[in-house]
């Protein structure tokens, strides 16, 4: 960890001299438009006014506790308690909570929901129509979910059957593979011995008092955060929270404290070969585990740099995996890499590689996957790869800034929930865009390679997970075989990655596009659009929109579709959109096209129905020429396949 900090500090010093302060202590500024406070009892709250959408608001309560806080005889009770929150509270008995919300359009399971994880439990009332009575009801629900869930014996007994049925319906190959992953990935820690839903015997027999004990022990105000975002008055909501939550007492000095659990490192790889008759796909995953960046650094320049490096590396590695998967006789169907948290244990993160294998060829997929990891570890990334990744990251950041006035309630809410849970930044758009430009534009490929080599050791502290259908004729590698492949790759000569990409126009500059003159113009004031009829018969409808600042959408359609195909070709039409997605456009393959479009927001795809076919495209107005070039190339490809008349 110290080695990584030195690398990040060196990176920080290398790209900016904006402050003499220690970068590990330099906090990123908070968005002034969110009201953050803490009540006398320790409960935290975040409140923000937002009118996307107008007339609605969303309400959340986050509990910083989950399944990992359960005792051995309480397994499944964190999740059970979540269910009980909808079965009666102090002020809303029986099913009143659900019934009252559904009468105002908040549907249970959709806008009204909850989830339990290993380290948190979250409840939400979303898209609530705003008026004073509805807001008071939502706040009362958050109040009751904090301390006043009824936990009546008859309701508990009724819910046992619901959760046991949930367990039965989940008990397939996916859940069994997940449990195997958790046991191996977190071996030696408490996470190895916890699942979220519990076990049938325990769910049948646990005593009501055990559930009450868990509730009283862990649902406490200093472990809770309220998040309210929407078309509300911030001052009014804050006053209501202060008054309503006043009857929730502060916890006693001897209240139980959360224990952070760590996963011990291993010298030798942990290997799990999991096969199941119900599995439908072969795959292999590899996790290089490491200790997570401490929470207190996430809202510092160090944390910002850490996330930025991970973004660059992930983009560049996934580009390599995509190129391999598109090749003839590829060793895997698809693959990729991700960096950071796995989403289960907050003290651990990993460099994760995964590949979907051809059936019976997990060994080939693992060999190719490990080779690419080793190539990256030895040589890092090229200047060309870095340039494209830089364009992507900068363009994404620019679009976030351009769309800063179009952020929906749910996105703001997640930002604040993450800040409470993980300490992640919640800057205002102006500041974030300025910092992004400064850092991204200053970075070099040498800095990325050097910093990442210090941050991650993708060949150490490994967990290798192979998954396969269990059926006759499908070869499944052994642990010894996978470890032998690892040793073989590590001992082999591996050439550096070659990047021969040359950025070119999507359309051949020599191509003469005839175009067509406008023959007639009509307007529709009520719907706000203009219609041009071209000389070649095509009709173009244009409508300006302010719904999103950085978006243009194009849809072109024509009569015909699969009705134009003969009997032998008819069913092939169903696969045309998917085939074209993987075929690229113009002279560029799908992989080459992705590289050509680096730093641009532009897409085009084909749609085919029974009686219509066409092109759907879009992206940023800034990239309209690229979007139209994509449309033209896609339309030409459609024409070459006989599926076009006039589009």
């Amino acid at each position: 960890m110290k080695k990584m900090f030195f690398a990040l500090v060196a990176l920080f010093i290398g790209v900016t001299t904006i402050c003499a302060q220690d970068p590990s202590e330099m906090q990123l500024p908070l968005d002034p438009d969110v009201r953050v406070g803490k009540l006398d009892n320790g409960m935290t709250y975040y409140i923000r006014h937002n009118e996307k959408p107008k007339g609605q608001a969303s309400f959340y309560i986050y509990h910083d506790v989950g399944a990992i806080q359960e005792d051995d005889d309480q397994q499944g009770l964190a999740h059970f308690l979540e269910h009980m929150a909808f079965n009666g509270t102090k002020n809303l008995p029986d099913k009143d909570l659900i019934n009252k919300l559904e009468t105002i359009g908040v549907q249970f399971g959709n806008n009204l929901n909850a989830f339990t994880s290993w380290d948190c439990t979250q409840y939400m009332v979303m898209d609530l129509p705003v008026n004073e009575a509805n807001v008071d009801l939502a706040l009362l629900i958050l109040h009751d979910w904090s301390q006043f869930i009824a936990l009546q014996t008859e309701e508990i007994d009724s819910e046992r059957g619901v959760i046991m049925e949930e367990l039965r319906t989940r008990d397939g190959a996916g859940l069994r593979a997940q449990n195997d992953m958790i046991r191996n990935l977190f071996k030696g820690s408490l996470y190895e011995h916890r699942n979220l839903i519990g076990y049938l015997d325990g769910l049948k027999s646990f005593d009501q008092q055990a559930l009450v004990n868990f509730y009283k022990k862990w649902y406490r105000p200093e472990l809770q955060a309220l998040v309210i975002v929407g078309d509300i008055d911030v001052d009014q909501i804050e006053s209501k929270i202060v008054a309503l939550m006043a009857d929730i007492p502060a916890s006693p000095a001897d209240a139980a404290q959360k224990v952070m659990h760590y996963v011990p490192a291993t010298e030798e790889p942990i290997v799990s070969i999991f096969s199941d008759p119900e599995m439908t796909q072969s795959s292999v995953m590899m996790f290089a585990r490491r200790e997570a960046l401490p929470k207190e650094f996430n809202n510092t320049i160090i944390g910002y740099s850490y996330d930025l490096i991970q973004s660059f590396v992930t983009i560049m590695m996934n580009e390599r995996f995509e190129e391999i998967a598109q090749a003839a006789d590829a060793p895997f169907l698809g693959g990729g890499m991700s960096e950071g948290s796995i989403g289960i244990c907050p003290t651990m993160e990993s460099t994760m590689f995964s590949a979907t294998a051809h059936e019976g060829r997990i060994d080939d997929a693992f060999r190719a996957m490990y080779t690419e990891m080793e190539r990256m570890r030895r040589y890092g990334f090229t200047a060309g790869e870095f340039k494209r990744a830089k364009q992507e990251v900068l363009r994404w950041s620019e679009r976030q800034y351009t769309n800063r006035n179009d952020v929906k309630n749910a996105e703001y809410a997640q930002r604040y929930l993450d800040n409470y849970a993980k300490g992640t930044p919640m800057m205002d758009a102006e500041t974030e865009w300025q910092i992004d430009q400064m850092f991204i534009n200053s970075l070099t490929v040498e800095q990325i390679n050097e910093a990442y080599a210090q941050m991650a050791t993708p060949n150490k502290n490994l967990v290798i997970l192979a998954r396969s259908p269990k059926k006759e004729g499908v070869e499944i590698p052994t642990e010894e075989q996978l470890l032998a492949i690892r040793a073989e790759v590590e001992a082999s000569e591996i050439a550096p990655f070659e990047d021969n990409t040359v950025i070119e126009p999507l359309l051949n500059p020599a191509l003469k596009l005839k175009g067509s003159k406008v023959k007639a113009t009509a307007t529709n004031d009520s719907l706000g659009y203009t219609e041009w009829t071209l000389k070649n018969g095509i009709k173009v409808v244009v409508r300006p929109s302010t719904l999103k600042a950085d978006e243009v959408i194009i849809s072109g359609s024509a009569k015909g579709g699969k009705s134009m195909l003969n009997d032998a070709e008819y069913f092939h039409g169903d696969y045309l959109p998917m085939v074209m997605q993987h075929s690229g456009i113009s002279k560029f393959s799908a992989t080459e096209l992705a590289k050509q479009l680096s730093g641009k927001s532009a897409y085009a795809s084909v749609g085919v129905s029974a009686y219509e076919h066409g092109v759907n495209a879009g992206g940023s107005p800034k990239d309209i020429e690229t979007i139209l070039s994509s449309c033209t190339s896609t339309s030409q490809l459609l024409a070459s396949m006989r599926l076009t008349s006039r589009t």
Side-chain angles (χ1 to χ4, degrees):
M1 184 65 74
K2 286 183 180 178
K3 194 177 180 183
M4 180 195 72
F5 274 112
F6 287 137
L8 292 173
V9 170
L11 175 66
F12 174 85
I13 293 170
V15 298
T16 180
T17 55
I18 62 170
C19 184
Q21 187 179 352
D22 180 350
S24 66
E25 297 176 357
M26 183 180 171
Q27 294 288 316
L28 295 169
L30 301 180
D31 186 346
D33 288 334
V34 57
R35 179 82 52 85
V36 184
K38 183 174 286 191
L39 303 178
D40 292 341
N41 59 19
M43 182 182 289
T44 302
Y45 59 84
Y46 299 74
I47 311 168
R48 185 190 182 105
H49 177 81
N50 184 52
E51 297 184 11
K52 298 285 182 171
K54 193 170 180 61
Q56 292 184 9
S58 294
F59 300 74
Y60 302 76
I61 183 167
Y62 181 97
H63 301 265
D64 196 21
V65 294
I68 206 67
Q69 275 70 52
E70 297 167 345
D71 295 333
D72 288 342
D73 62 350
Q74 294 177 326
Q75 292 204 54
L77 295 196
H79 174 254
F80 202 107
L81 180 58
E82 173 218 309
H83 276 239
M84 293 305 300
F86 300 95
N87 288 321
T89 67
K90 174 184 175 180
N91 292 292
L92 297 158
D94 302 323
K95 296 294 189 289
D96 278 8
L97 187 155
I98 295 173
N99 294 337
K100 285 180 181 293
L101 286 173
E102 290 201 328
T103 62
I104 56 175
V106 178
Q107 185 181 21
F108 183 49
N110 186 12
N111 320 98
L112 172 63
N113 216 326
F115 71 82
T116 303
S117 188
W118 282 263
D119 274 272
C120 72
T121 309
Q122 182 178 306
Y123 303 84
M124 58 283 276
V125 179
M126 300 174 291
D127 310 323
L128 180 89
V130 171
N131 61 44
E132 188 158 4
N134 291 350
V135 167
D136 288 346
L137 173 62
L139 291 174
L140 181 64
I141 290 169
L142 299 188
H143 165 272
D144 281 11
W145 278 341
S146 170
Q147 296 280 294
F148 304 105
I149 300 174
L151 300 181
Q152 296 174 330
T153 303
E154 59 273 20
E155 292 289 351
I156 291 173
D157 290 338
S158 174
E159 199 67 23
R160 290 182 201 267
V162 173
I163 295 181
M164 287 190 289
E165 183 59 26
E166 183 180 344
L167 177 57
R168 291 190 190 97
T169 56
R170 287 189 188 182
D171 189 18
L175 180 63
R176 292 191 287 273
Q178 175 184 285
N179 289 339
D180 177 79
M181 180 190 77
I182 291 169
R183 284 192 295 269
N184 287 282
L185 201 52
F186 304 105
K187 190 177 289 292
S189 75
L190 188 60
Y191 289 91
E192 178 186 356
H193 306 288
R194 290 288 179 269
N195 73 32
L196 294 180
I197 199 167
Y199 302 93
L200 278 176
D201 289 344
L203 293 171
K204 287 178 184 177
S205 61
F206 77 84
D207 185 72
Q208 176 199 18
Q209 193 58 43
L211 187 61
V212 172
N213 291 345
F214 181 85
Y215 182 42
K216 297 301 181 185
K217 182 177 181 179
W218 292 113
Y219 272 44
R220 308 198 313 262
E222 74 275 18
L223 298 175
Q224 296 170 344
L226 307 179
V227 174
I228 296 99
V229 181
D231 194 2
I232 43 88
D233 183 297
V234 172
D235 292 333
Q236 184 185 58
I237 293 294
E238 185 176 38
S239 297
K240 287 177 180 288
I241 288 173
V242 171
L244 187 61
M245 305 299 171
D247 65 343
I248 299 174
S251 299
D254 62 350
Q257 299 300 306
K258 278 191 71 174
V259 175
M260 300 305 291
H261 298 274
Y262 293 84
V263 181
T266 56
E267 287 294 327
E268 296 300 319
I270 296 171
V271 181
S272 171
I273 313 295
F274 179 84
S275 62
D276 192 289
E278 295 181 16
M279 293 207 76
T280 58
Q281 205 168 51
S282 298
S283 65
V284 60
M285 294 180 286
M286 183 175 74
F287 299 82
R289 302 170 298 170
R290 62 177 178 270
E291 192 176 319
L293 190 71
K295 179 179 177 179
E296 59 266 27
F297 292 104
N298 285 336
N299 193 47
T300 67
I301 291 293
I302 287 289
Y304 173 89
S305 303
Y306 191 71
D307 289 342
L308 189 62
I309 293 166
Q310 290 183 337
S311 296
F312 270 89
V313 171
T314 301
I315 289 170
M316 291 186 285
M317 277 304 291
N318 283 330
E319 186 180 271
R320 291 186 184 183
F321 273 88
E322 180 66 21
E323 189 168 331
I324 294 170
Q326 292 289 335
D329 195 27
F332 47 69
L333 297 170
M337 171 203 177
S338 63
E339 275 286 356
S341 172
I342 300 166
I344 295 175
C345 173
T347 61
M348 189 189 89
E349 59 187 28
S350 76
T351 303
M352 188 196 86
F353 296 89
S354 64
T356 302
H358 297 278
E359 194 169 86
R361 291 178 56 190
I362 289 176
D363 53 348
D364 291 339
F366 180 66
R367 181 179 287 104
M369 185 177 79
Y370 203 89
T371 299
E372 288 312 306
M373 181 282 294
E374 189 66 13
R375 194 189 317 276
M376 174 194 71
R377 192 184 69 82
R378 294 183 193 182
Y379 306 110
F381 299 96
T382 68
E385 290 177 298
F386 174 73
K387 181 179 179 181
R388 291 192 296 274
K390 192 173 189 176
Q391 291 170 335
E392 284 293 305
V393 174
L394 195 59
R395 187 69 183 97
W396 180 88
S397 180
E398 183 184 13
R399 292 203 77 192
Q400 289 290 104
Y401 175 70
T402 305
N403 290 322
R404 64 193 179 279
N405 296 319
D406 301 317
V407 179
K408 300 291 179 65
N409 290 342
E411 186 178 340
Y412 275 130
Q414 192 58 55
R415 199 176 296 177
Y416 306 146
L417 291 163
D418 287 343
N419 176 264
Y420 179 77
K422 307 171 189 176
T424 51
M426 49 180 197
M427 294 181 279
D428 65 279
E430 295 282 351
T431 303
E432 187 169 12
W433 174 229
Q434 289 172 11
I435 292 176
D436 283 347
Q437 290 180 91
M438 178 179 64
F439 268 80
I440 296 167
N441 286 322
S442 301
L443 283 173
T444 66
V445 67
E446 291 80 14
Q447 288 170 327
I448 290 288
N449 285 336
E450 182 178 353
Y452 185 69
Q454 302 297 322
M455 281 172 51
T457 51
N459 62 336
K460 303 290 185 184
N461 196 15
L462 295 179
V463 175
I464 301 167
L465 307 175
R467 275 82 182 90
S468 173
K470 189 175 186 177
K471 61 183 181 181
E472 188 176 349
V474 175
E475 291 188 25
I476 303 173
T478 64
E479 176 180 343
E480 292 74 18
Q481 288 172 323
L482 291 180
L483 291 177
I485 291 171
R486 174 177 179 251
E488 168 199 319
V489 172
E490 289 185 340
S492 65
E493 293 291 331
I494 299 174
F497 182 79
E498 291 187 13
D499 180 29
N500 301 314
T501 303
V502 177
I503 302 301
E504 302 177 65
L506 293 186
L507 294 177
N508 185 343
L511 180 65
K512 301 295 184 183
L513 297 175
K514 295 180 181 179
S516 184
K517 293 183 178 181
V518 176
K519 184 173 67 174
T521 300
T523 59
N524 186 312
D525 293 334
S526 63
L527 295 178
Y529 70 78
T530 300
E531 181 181 288
W532 300 317
T533 301
L534 306 185
K535 190 175 180 181
N536 61 12
I538 293 175
K539 290 188 176 182
V540 181
V541 178
V542 180
R543 184 185 185 278
S545 170
T546 58
L547 290 176
K548 206 167 184 180
D550 193 30
E551 183 177 67
V552 60
I553 298 174
I554 299 173
S555 178
S557 63
K559 301 296 183 184
K562 290 186 290 183
S563 67
M564 300 176 67
L565 301 175
N566 60 41
D567 291 348
E569 297 170 330
Y570 183 83
F571 291 105
H572 296 171
D574 291 329
Y575 295 98
L576 181 60
M578 183 173 64
V579 170
M580 289 189 66
Q581 179 186 348
H582 293 284
S583 300
I585 58 175
S586 185
K587 68 176 185 178
F588 304 108
S589 68
T591 304
E592 292 166 340
L593 179 63
K595 294 178 181 180
Q596 296 295 325
L597 295 178
S598 294
K600 298 183 184 294
S601 175
Y603 68 86
S605 62
V606 168
V608 180
S609 64
Y611 298 105
E612 282 190 339
H613 58 273
V615 176
N616 299 303
S620 169
K622 182 178 179 179
D623 299 313
I624 187 66
E625 185 174 347
T626 302
I627 297 168
L628 292 173
S629 295
S630 299
C631 284
T632 301
S633 298
T634 304
S635 298
Q636 289 173 338
L637 188 55
L638 264 179
S640 71
M641 294 180 173
R642 299 199 309 107
L643 249 182
T644 190
S645 52
R646 286 178 172 171
T647 302

